[in-house]
Amino acid sequence: MPNGTAVDKQGRLKERAAMSDTTLLLTITVVVFFILYLAAILFLGGSFTKPQNFLNILNNNASLIVLSCGMSIVMITGGIDISVGAVTCLVCMACAVNLENQGGNIFTMILIGLGIGLAFGVVQGFLVAHLGIQPFIVSLAGMFFAKGMTTIVSKEPVRVTNEGFLAVKDMRINVPGSNNKLGQYVPAYVEPGVIIALLMVVLLFCLLRWTKLGRAFYAVGGNNQSANMLGINVRRTKFLAHVLCS
């Protein structure tokens, strides 16, 4: 039977749908992850078989998942943003100072984080989309500016003792666990950041797959001139990509 064909229930030949590049890359990523995790189990000990050790991968990297979601939007449009780490540092320092020295709370912390991110997104998006400056140069300047602003906010480490923040930080969501060496059952847990990160992944997936803006991101990243001929506002699309990333 020729390659790329299959037989249906009536015995007729039909073309088999080829795997898209996106599906292929996703499949390779998932397979490589599980191969590496299996290698860790075989060579580093059976402790990797415990649910908590697997969940700790998510607990320790939830923030990176959120950052990668924003970076993905910019990279799909053909740009790059290397300032995300420095902006995150600035947000964390500003929120810590607000909580510890200015009597802030969880809600003011959220407003500060969104405000700083929006400010960087608007400025960098405007420079890239409307003035035509290279994204690497703009985000490099944004990275140095964010680092400088972090030292202006506070030159010393800030230890947060706010009770509301600590309550959220220490919150745990229990899931089925395993027995320890003494034979006692110990439940596993995930942190709230994991739930937020997974929610961001789902929202980004829905945005890119089923919305007009998501398709515009792919079109602009593929070819600016073709996207412009299709009636897509290339400048606005690039601007929104940087705003959403920040």
Side-chain angles (χ1 to χ4, degrees), residues 82-104:
I82 62 175
S83 67
V84 290
V87 173
T88 302
C89 182
L90 174 60
V91 168
C92 292
M93 182 59 75
C95 291
V97 171
N98 177 256
L99 288 173
E100 192 63 21
N101 302 331
Q102 300 174 353

Side-chain angles (χ1 to χ4, degrees), residues 1-9 11-17:
M1 182 178 296
N3 293 331
T5 60
V7 180
D8 58 14
K9 294 181 179 180
R12 295 173 298 183
L13 293 178
K14 61 179 182 179
E15 292 293 330
R16 182 181 300 169

Side-chain angles (χ1 to χ4, degrees), residues 161-240:
T161 59
N162 183 277
E163 294 182 357
F165 171 79
L166 294 178
V168 176
K169 177 179 178 295
D170 296 333
M171 186 182 299
R172 299 289 185 268
I173 302 173
N174 291 332
V175 297
S178 61
N179 294 331
N180 58 17
K181 295 181 179 180
L182 299 178
Q184 299 173 343
Y185 176 78
V186 179
Y189 67 87
V190 293
E191 298 176 356
V194 175
I195 306 301
I196 296 174
L198 296 179
L199 180 62
M200 289 297 300
V201 172
V202 173
L203 291 177
L204 179 62
F205 176 82
C206 295
L207 171 68
L208 295 177
R209 189 171 182 87
W210 291 309
T211 66
K212 181 179 179 181
L213 180 60
R215 292 190 292 270
F217 287 148
Y218 282 107
V220 171
N223 191 297
N224 288 342
Q225 295 181 350
S226 298
N228 193 28
M229 294 177 63
L230 291 173
I232 298 174
N233 192 326
V234 176
R235 290 183 177 180
R236 184 182 64 182
T237 303
K238 289 185 177 181
F239 176 78
L240 291 177

